[in-house]
Amino acid sequence: MLIDESLPVELADELTGGHDVVTVHRRGWLHLKNGILLRRAVEDGFVVIVTGDSKLRYQQNLRKIGIGAVVVTRVRNRIEDLRPLIPRIAAAIETTKPGDVTEISPD
């Protein structure tokens, strides 16, 4: 699973439960345009990206590209604010398939 640059890199350390977690930052893919980033992710075997970019589903054809997205919305981009959502993010990663978009937000 790939963590987008729109989320803190610390999130990767929090989502280790059975997942191979890599960040865009650690891959050296910072500042790639979304389409290029998603295609490169699929080429490298990623099936799901976790992002804070709520517009991704409207700007990219995820089904055609072959990747799913877990989109974290309505929460600040700080690990302290994301921590309560981690169990829901982890569950969404398990069920999100290529072409799917699963939105996670505070209740």
Side-chain angles (χ1 to χ4, degrees), residues 27-100:
R27 275 290 172 141
W29 294 345
L30 287 173
H31 309 299
L32 289 179
K33 300 279 186 192
N34 279 342
I36 295 168
L37 171 66
L38 295 174
R39 284 172 180 79
R40 184 154 314 157
V42 169
E43 288 170 6
D44 280 17
F46 292 99
V47 178
V48 175
I49 186 168
V50 181
T51 183
D53 184 353
S54 61
K55 297 177 184 174
L56 183 70
R57 71 172 68 185
Y58 307 110
Q59 297 170 340
Q60 302 296 323
N61 186 337
L62 299 178
R63 186 166 310 285
K64 183 176 179 180
I65 293 170
I67 196 165
V70 174
V71 182
V72 183
T73 62
R74 298 190 340 240
V75 64
R76 288 189 303 173
N77 179 3
R78 296 176 3 159
I79 193 63
E80 296 83 13
D81 297 320
L82 293 167
R83 224 173 245 129
L85 299 176
I86 287 174
R88 292 178 50 210
I89 294 169
I93 291 165
E94 294 295 327
T95 60
T96 301
K97 296 176 179 29
D100 292 349

